[in-house]
């Protein structure tokens, strides 16, 4: 496939770009294989100088277009909520069509027959190939508006003179944004000058984690049973397993777990030597099958008389029902030392719908207070945040307070499982709360652990495409981390800015870090050889500073969050990022930097030698760098 | 003292509202002004003080095996749940508190006995700290259009207005008197705020209507009706809100639904909307605006004072905010005594009108973090003292009544007391008087947040476990100190490298929590809280997670709160010492 085939019109002059809260910019719009570029005419329309605006086309979640036939210039602002027809994807179910308010001079694109489910760009419109007819003169004076709803939740409007151009641009963006082949995506073409390709790819995060662990215990070993991804396609080549368990036992246990995800070590709690394991559900099925190797594997984690906890992220009911489809959960009789706790967490489509409903409510400026609170409640997003934090606390509590090991799983073990294990580590382990440690955590517990980013983040909250496997688990994780950062403002080395950047990059990125669904796919696509790592970019000194928390002060303790509803807030910085003005909050942030740096500078002058000493020593005592 | 039959009860338990952990056990004392509970089970002496005037309700709950429960709800939203061993003791405490919390005669109010050992001169100077005439001068009054008149010196025009009022120069004495006959309770239109940019146009308030002006009779006047509900709706809304706040381990849906059903944030938004409208009309349309409700001392006060705050950065300073409250609320006859239920009286007169105003200011602080000279604690202090009756400012219902009560001779003013604590009440992010002029807040619903710091203020477990404000204050104090002593410090610099010198603490109570010191991360900041799985009432099987360490730390936390005024250094020292066991 050639990108050029998808680009019907590459350049249009005099396009007006507007975005809520920003001054509109007029300029020339260009479409390239991966970007939409608007370069403004210098000095024109009161603009002080030339501006270039770039948009990664992969970031576009939905394209909505509206044509305006007009003898007069188009009014500068067109209400976007009116007369917009959602784009129809060929071969996908049509979303319900809203009633069309139509003014005398406005025609929506598919207005010819709204009830018809499959109307594409047809109807009254004819391509104005033959020039000179009166009809064409009229069309030439018309224009179109394209609304681009982005995966990072930004909404842009392009006003494009000329109807054909408008349609061409819209269909080009649609086509380019839905290219699904990983190796055609921008990270394979992005070559920033400041970075070298091989830089920043974490070298074997699991192995590194094991090295740390091996200093404290001999109970665990690094296994390469999965080196060719044959035992579990979604695990990395190296996993940490009980030292006493043989490779053959692992292979057999893997056959008893969904997706081959046999129990592996996720976290070692240094304080008392307990561990957190994760896996897929056991394949007990309707006949209550057992697997001696799986039982042995889990049994080897506990000493005689010790008790462990299994946190199942499904309800007891759902776990039982899973037996009908070959899954299930660990029966007490087969795993006598393990006590099972069910903590249902939302996943899959209901979670995606929760996200969509929340974003809809946030964008609805017509809501009064009561309806806003009603919508906030009914979308249930904050309930999911609360549930995720509670379950992570439960896991952390089992380890730290009960001094018991924990196994976490749901069904596949790639979604809510990772949400819980990653959050629990952030709560327990100070090393995960540094910028570097957090990157390591994301690498181990999300990327290497096989969270299917490509499927889960294929679309964001605006897409009209039929939902397939999209679900914002990673966003839910980031939201929970934000809640932690709000309750413990000094304990995380990174700021909200990092969480926003991670959200953006998980959905559309210049970098290869979040590409593909697992390590196996990444190897096949040669992601590490052919793309840059997001971490390398973030670790550059001038970038790094943007993501630091000025209030950070290493905290060696467990950070137990409150999960009372009063303690959990809607993450405005994300959900209202493009809706509200952040001027006053940004000023406050700058003021915090100034105050903290000011007081640091004052002290620094006196302690120059000490500071330079500690700066040159990257292994500060409390940062368990990985 | 005649109300106190049992001044001391032993073996009293204080239950923790949100966790199931072992209740504190200790001794309850009744003094003339306070209920004091001393926790005997804690290693560090922990005291809980409840001012009698702060008590809104006292309830005796059905007898349990543990004893006789006594539930106290305070006007500052503190809820204390005691269990007293002997029913007889409980009953005596109960009847004493009923009488102590609802004095019948004004002379019984705390302000008349409060004696901070201040000289008579200083006390009198304190009352002169806030002079409304100075504020009118600041606006340029008197000028060609407006004058300050003492027409009301004998309260003939209006007995709920102060002796001096600002009226149009063109209005003769006869006009003023005539107008007063037409307005409910004589509350004629008087000037509230003069927007400097346009000399004539002003915000006037207090014209009480009981009905509204016939449009035909008023030329050049446009009417705008803004629906802010009456005091009875607001009272019941707050009641519903507090029930939600008190619910034990609610789900997120329970909470949001309860918040919605209480209507509280809807009312807050309505007050804000009206104020934004008023400020815009004055500023953008250069219109003069007359604001009134039915009596002109509730909703009118809210809207006029908030609009002033939006228009004029002066009112966002310490001094300005005090002037604003004196001018719009106290002088203009907001009936604090009735609305706050200072004395035993009609419960239907009680309403959280002033609380709503304070909350609106807090909401503005959330949107504009650098525009106020003071911080959230300042608002909470004022709110506390509106109910405490410790100072004379908020006693009675109007200026005349305060004169009759001899407030100015017998009691102290709150404002000098607050100014003394300025260091800890200031906003470290304040960018100064000139950084921002008018504020245009976002009034979309999402801009209004539930104020946990007010309505769940005493449930420390719900609050952020590390306090940015305290940290920044200490950064700032450190900086001020360093700047002040720049030259002197140069010689001592190596000293700062180690522990902070003790004298840094006097700058503020949080001075010890200096930047980047381990103090900020002392475990009891959060470790003492049970993990949330427990607060939700769900627990890990048959596990008993309540360790003694938890209990102790929890108490330290509360200890910090209760004692901070007394001796911050000691408390912080003990915290540092106590933090250690966490590392096991």
């Amino acid at each position: 496939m050639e990108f050029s085939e998808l680009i019907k019109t590459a350049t249009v002059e005099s396009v007006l770009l507007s975005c809520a809260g920003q001054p509109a910019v007029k300029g020339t719009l260009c479409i390239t294989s991966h970007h939409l570029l608007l370069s403004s005419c210098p000095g024109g329309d009161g603009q002080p100088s030339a501006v270039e605006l770039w948009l990664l086309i992969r970031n576009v979640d939905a394209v909505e277009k509206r044509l305006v036939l007009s003898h007069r210039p188009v009014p500068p602002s067109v209400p976007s909520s009116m007369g917009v027809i959602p784009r129809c994807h060929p071969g996908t179910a049509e979303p319900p069509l809203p009633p069309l308010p139509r003014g005398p001079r406005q025609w929506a694109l598919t207005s010819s027959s709204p009830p018809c489910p499959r109307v594409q760009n047809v109807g009254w419109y004819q391509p104005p190939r033959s020039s000179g007819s009166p009809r064409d003169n009229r069309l030439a004076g018309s224009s179109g508006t394209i609304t681009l709803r982005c995966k990072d939740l930004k909404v842009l409007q392009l006003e494009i003179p000329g109807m054909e151009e408008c349609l061409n641009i819209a269909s080009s963006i649609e086509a380019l944004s839905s290219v699904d082949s990983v190796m055609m995506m921008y990270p394979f073409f992005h070559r920033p000058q400041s970075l070298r390709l091989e830089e920043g790819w974490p070298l074997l995060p699991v192995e590194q984690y094991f090295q740390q662990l091996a200093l404290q215990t001999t109970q665990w070993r690094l296994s390469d049973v999965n080196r060719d991804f044959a035992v579990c396609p979604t695990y990395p080549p190296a996993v940490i397993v009980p030292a006493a368990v043989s490779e053959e036992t692992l292979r057999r246990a893997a056959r008893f777990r969904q997706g081959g995800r046999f129990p592996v070590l996720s976290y070692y709690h240094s304080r008392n030597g307990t561990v957190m394991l994760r896996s897929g559900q056991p394949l007990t099925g309707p006949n209550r099958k057992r697997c001696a190797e799986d039982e042995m594997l889990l049994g080897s984690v506990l000493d005689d008389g010790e008790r462990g906890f299994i946190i199942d992220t499904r309800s007891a009911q759902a776990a039982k029902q899973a037996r009908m489809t070959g899954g299930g959960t660990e029966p007490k009789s087969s795993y006598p030392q393990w006590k099972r706790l069910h903590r249902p967490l939302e996943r899959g489509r209901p979670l995606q719908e929760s996200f969509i409903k929340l974003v809809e409510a946030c964008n609805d400026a017509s809501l009064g207070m009561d309806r806003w609170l009603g919508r906030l409640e009914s979308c249930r997003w904050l309930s999911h945040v609360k549930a995720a934090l509670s379950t992570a606390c439960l896991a952390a509590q089992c380890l730290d307070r009960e001094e018991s090991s924990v196994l976490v799983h749901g069904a596949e073990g790639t979604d809510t499982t990772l949400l819980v294990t990653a959050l629990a580590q952030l709560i327990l382990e100070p090393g995960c709360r540094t910028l570097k440690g957090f990157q390591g955590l994301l690498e181990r517990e999300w990327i290497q652990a096989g969270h299917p980013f490509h499927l889960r983040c294929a679309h964001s909250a605006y897409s009209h495409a039929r939902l397939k496997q999209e679900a914002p688990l990673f966003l839910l994780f980031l939201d929970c981390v934000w809640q932690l950062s709000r309750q413990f403002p000094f304990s995380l080395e990174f700021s909200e800015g990092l969480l926003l950047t991670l959200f953006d990059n998980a959905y559309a990125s210049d970098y290869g870090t979040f590409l593909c669904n697992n390590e196996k796919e990444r190897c096949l696509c040669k992601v590490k050889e052919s793309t840059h790592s997001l971490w390398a970019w973030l670790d550059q000194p001038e970038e790094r500073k943007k993501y630091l928390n000025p209030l950070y002060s290493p905290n060696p303790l467990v950070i137990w969050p409150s999960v009372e509803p009063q303690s959990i807030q809607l993450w405005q910085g994300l959900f209202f990022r493009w809706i509200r003005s952040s001027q006053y909050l940004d000023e406050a942030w700058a003021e915090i930097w100034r105050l903290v740096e000011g007081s640091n500078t004052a002290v620094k002058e006196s302690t120059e030698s000490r500071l330079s000493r500690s700066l040159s020593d990257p292994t500060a005592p409390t940062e368990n760098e990985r | 003292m005649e109300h106190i039959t049992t001044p001391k009860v032993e073996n009293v338990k204080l239950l923790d509202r949100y966790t199931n952990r072992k209740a504190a056990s200790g001794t309850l004392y009744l003094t003339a002004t306070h209920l004091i509970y001393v926790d005997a089970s804690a290693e560090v002496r922990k005291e809980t003080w409840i001012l009698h005037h702060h008590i809104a309700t006292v309830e005796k709950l059905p007898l349990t095996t543990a004893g006789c429960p006594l539930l106290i709800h305070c006007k500052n939203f503190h809820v204390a749940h005691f269990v007293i061993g002997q029913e007889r003791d409980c009953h005596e405490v109960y009847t004493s508190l009923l009488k102590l919390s609802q004095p019948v005669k004004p002379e019984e109010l705390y302000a008349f006995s409060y004696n901070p050992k201040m000289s008579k001169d200083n006390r009198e100077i304190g009352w002169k700290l806030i002079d409304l005439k100075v504020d009118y001068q600041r606006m340029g009054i008197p000028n060609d259009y407006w004058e300050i008149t003492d027409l009301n010196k004998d309260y003939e025009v209006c007995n709920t207005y102060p002796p001096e009022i600002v009226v149009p120069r063109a209005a003769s004495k006869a006009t003023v008197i005539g107008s007063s006959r037409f307005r409910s309770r004589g509350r004629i239109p008087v000037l509230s705020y003069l927007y400097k940019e346009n000399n004539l146009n002003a915000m006037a308030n207090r014209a009480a209507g009981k009905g509204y002006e016939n449009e035909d009779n008023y030329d050049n006047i446009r009417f705008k009706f803004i629906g802010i509900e009456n005091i009875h709706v607001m009272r019941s809304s707050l009641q519903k809100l507090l029930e939600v706040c008190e619910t034990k381990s609610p789900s997120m849906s329970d909470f949001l639904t309860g918040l919605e059903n209480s209507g509280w944030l809807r009312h807050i938004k309505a007050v804000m909307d009206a104020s934004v409208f008023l400020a815009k009309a004055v500023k953008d349309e250069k219109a003069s605006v007359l604001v009134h409700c039915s009596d002109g001392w509730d909703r009118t006060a809210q809207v006029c004072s908030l609009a002033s705050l939006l228009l004029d950065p002066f009112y966002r300073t310490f001094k300005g905010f005090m002037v604003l409250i004196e001018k719009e609320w106290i002088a203009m006859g907001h009936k604090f005594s009735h609305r706050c239920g200072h004395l035993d009286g009609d419960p239907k007169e009680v309403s959280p009108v002033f609380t709503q105003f304070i909350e609106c200011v807090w909401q503005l602080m959330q949107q504009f973090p650098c525009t106020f000279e003071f911080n959230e604690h300042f608002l909470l202090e004022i709110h506390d003292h509106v109910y405490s009756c410790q100072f004379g400012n908020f006693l009675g219902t109007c200026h005349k009544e305060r004169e009759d009560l001899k407030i100015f001779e017998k009691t102290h003013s709150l404002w000098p007391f607050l100014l003394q604590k300025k260091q800890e009440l200031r906003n470290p992010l304040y960018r100064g008087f000139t950084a921002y002029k008018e504020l245009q807040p976002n009034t979309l619903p999402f801009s209004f947040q539930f104020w946990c710091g007010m309505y769940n203020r005493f449930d420390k477990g719900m609050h952020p476990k590390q306090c940015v404000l305290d940290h920044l204050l200490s950064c700032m104090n450190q900086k001020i100190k360093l700047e002040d002593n720049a030259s002197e410090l140069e010689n001592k610099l190596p000293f700062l490298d180690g522990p902070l010198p003790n004298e840094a603490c006097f700058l503020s109570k949080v001075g010890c929590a200096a930047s980047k010191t381990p103090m900020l991360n002392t475990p009891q900041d959060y470790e003492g809280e049970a993990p949330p799985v427990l607060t939700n009432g769900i627990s890990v099987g048959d596990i008993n997670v309540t360790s003694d360490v938890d209990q102790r730390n929890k108490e330290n936390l509360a200890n910090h709160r209760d004692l901070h005024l007394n001796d911050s250094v000691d408390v912080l020292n003990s915290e540092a010492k106590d933090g250690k066991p966490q590392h096991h």
Side-chain angles (χ1 to χ4, degrees), chain B residues 247-302:
Chain B
T247 312
K248 201 172 170 176
S249 303
S251 72
M252 189 50 85
S253 291
D254 293 341
F255 178 74
L256 288 173
T257 307
L259 189 60
E260 177 192 345
N261 290 343
S262 76
W264 183 256
L265 286 177
R266 173 159 49 85
H267 300 315
I268 295 293
K269 176 168 153 53
V271 173
M272 190 75 90
D273 279 332
S275 312
V276 169
F277 173 86
L278 173 55
K280 269 196 185 136
V282 172
K283 178 179 163 278
D284 296 341
E285 299 190 33
K286 307 208 181 307
S288 287
V289 185
L290 169 68
V291 184
H292 68 74
C293 46
S294 47
D295 288 313
W297 47 49
D298 293 314
R299 290 165 275 193
T300 306
Q302 288 177 329

Side-chain angles (χ1 to χ4, degrees), chain A residues 600 603-620, chain B residues 497:
Chain A
N600 285 351
V603 178
K604 200 168 19 182
E605 281 162 10
S606 72
T607 63
E608 212 171 335
S609 60
R610 189 192 62 153
L611 266 174
S612 59
R613 195 169 64 239
S614 70
L615 282 174
S616 62
D617 176 17
T619 51
Chain B
D497 206 358

